[in-house]
């Protein structure tokens, strides 16, 4: 994938709202392990690309903004093979 992905903060909040069955405006900015797994899964599906997150990247994701930054890094990196 070249260029910046069209993934935004609102997209991640909408994904979390679907998971928690809450309105988007009631979704917490904090991301736990279950929420992170859900987001990774949906982003991988959306972009048809596996996100090979390092332990450091995973450990650094505490909020929706953290997740967005890490996902952008992964999605803009050249794909293997």
């Amino acid at each position: 994938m070249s260029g910046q992905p069209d993934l935004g903060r609102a997209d991640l909040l909408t994904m979390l709202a679907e998971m928690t069955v809450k309105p988007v405006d009631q979704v917490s900015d904090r991301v736990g392990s279950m929420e992170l797994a859900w987001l990774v899964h949906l982003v991988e599906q959306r972009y048809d690309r596996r996100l090979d997150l390092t332990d450091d990247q995973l450990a650094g994701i505490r909020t929706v903004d953290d997740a967005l930054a890490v996902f952008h890094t992964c999605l803009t990196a050249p794909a293997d093979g």
Side-chain angles (χ1 to χ4, degrees), residues 28-43:
S28 173
D29 188 56
R30 302 290 297 167
V31 176
S33 59
M34 182 70 100
E35 292 88 0
L36 179 55
W38 176 253
L39 291 175
V40 169
H41 169 72
L42 291 180
V43 170

Side-chain angles (χ1 to χ4, degrees), residues 5-79:
D6 62 347
L7 181 68
R9 177 176 165 70
D11 297 310
L12 297 183
L13 289 171
T14 298
M15 292 173 189
L16 290 173
E18 291 170 2
M19 178 190 162
T20 60
V21 192
K22 292 181 181 178
V24 173
D25 64 343
Q26 292 181 12
V27 173
S28 173
D29 188 56
R30 302 290 297 167
V31 176
S33 59
M34 182 70 100
E35 292 88 0
L36 179 55
W38 176 253
L39 291 175
V40 169
H41 169 72
L42 291 180
V43 170
E44 286 180 339
Q45 281 189 331
R46 180 175 179 171
Y47 292 97
D48 193 28
R49 182 162 176 191
R50 181 169 164 80
L51 300 178
D52 289 319
L53 303 176
T54 67
D55 290 342
D56 287 341
Q57 286 173 316
L58 289 169
I61 298 174
R62 301 276 189 242
T63 66
V64 171
D65 289 334
D66 295 339
L68 185 60
V70 170
F71 294 162
H72 272 247
T73 297
C74 292
L75 291 169
T76 57

